[in-house]
Amino acid sequence: MLTTLKTAYTDTRAADLAWALGREPLPALAVLDLELTGAKLQLRLLGASHQVLLDEAAGTCSETVACMPGSSTPLPLGVAKRLGEWDYEFAARVETLSHGSFAGRAQELLALVADHPNGLAGTFPGSPHAFTAMLAQRGDGQVWWRTWHAYPQEGQLVVTRTRVGVRVPAPAGL
């Protein structure tokens, strides 16, 4: 699903993104509710990036990646945590692209997510390549999502990948 977000495009930077687990739902500009084989997943586009809410029998998880005033947790390159019954893995990277490459990559990603049944993308007014996009899937007892946060004024694309799944016990004898 592709939508135009009804908010002013503010000149945020990739470096302003922060990461948090366990936050309450924040006001969203667009929401996609998904049912993925017993897991309820809500993809949320915020005025300052994204939030994912996961709810299934093993528990709940809330991930927020956004420009959060007063946040002291910058966007990490990687996180691995135990969340009750789950293993949670998060990774992020920043791609810096030339103006021409950025425009092409933005169009490619928006087309991919807009046509996907588990995808949500929102473009910001004022810049055709300013967007946040999310794509989710489930398989092998795990839920995955990827996100893309575009900052055309900097030529930067922040890419995140998250995996949440039931912890697999180590084999006996190890």
Side-chain angles (χ1 to χ4, degrees):
M1 179 170 95
L2 178 62
T3 186
T4 298
L5 301 173
K6 293 179 179 29
T7 186
Y9 177 64
T10 56
D11 192 25
T12 57
R13 301 174 312 126
D16 293 337
L17 285 176
W19 166 88
L21 276 178
R23 287 188 73 126
E24 292 296 316
L26 297 171
L29 299 173
V31 174
L32 179 63
D33 289 307
L34 300 171
E35 184 81 33
L36 301 174
T37 317
K40 292 181 182 178
L41 194 66
Q42 188 176 75
L43 305 180
R44 303 167 61 80
L45 296 179
L46 312 176
S49 290
H50 87 259
Q51 188 172 50
V52 177
L53 307 176
L54 172 62
D55 185 6
E56 69 172 354
T60 61
C61 176
S62 165
E63 174 189 276
T64 306
V65 172
C67 300
M68 296 179 276
S71 176
S72 60
T73 306
L75 190 64
L77 294 177
V79 173
K81 285 185 163 281
R82 284 188 170 174
L83 298 176
E85 300 279 325
W86 288 333
D87 282 330
Y88 169 91
E89 293 177 5
F90 171 87
R93 73 177 190 277
V94 177
E95 298 176 8
T96 302
L97 305 164
S98 69
H99 180 73
S101 295
F102 189 92
R105 182 85 168 121
Q107 290 174 338
E108 175 185 280
L109 289 169
L110 287 172
L112 168 75
V113 175
D115 293 337
H116 197 285
N118 298 340
L120 175 63
T123 57
F124 291 89
S127 175
H129 302 121
F131 68 91
T132 299
M134 309 169 73
L135 191 61
Q137 60 185 6
R138 180 177 176 94
D140 298 327
Q142 300 178 18
V143 178
W144 298 276
W145 58 86
R146 296 190 62 183
T147 72
W148 298 270
H149 305 264
Y151 298 92
Q153 72 281 10
E154 297 180 315
Q156 292 188 321
L157 186 66
V158 177
V159 180
T160 74
R161 149 183 82 67
T162 302
R163 182 192 65 82
V164 179
V166 175
R167 189 173 338 134
V168 178
L174 290 182

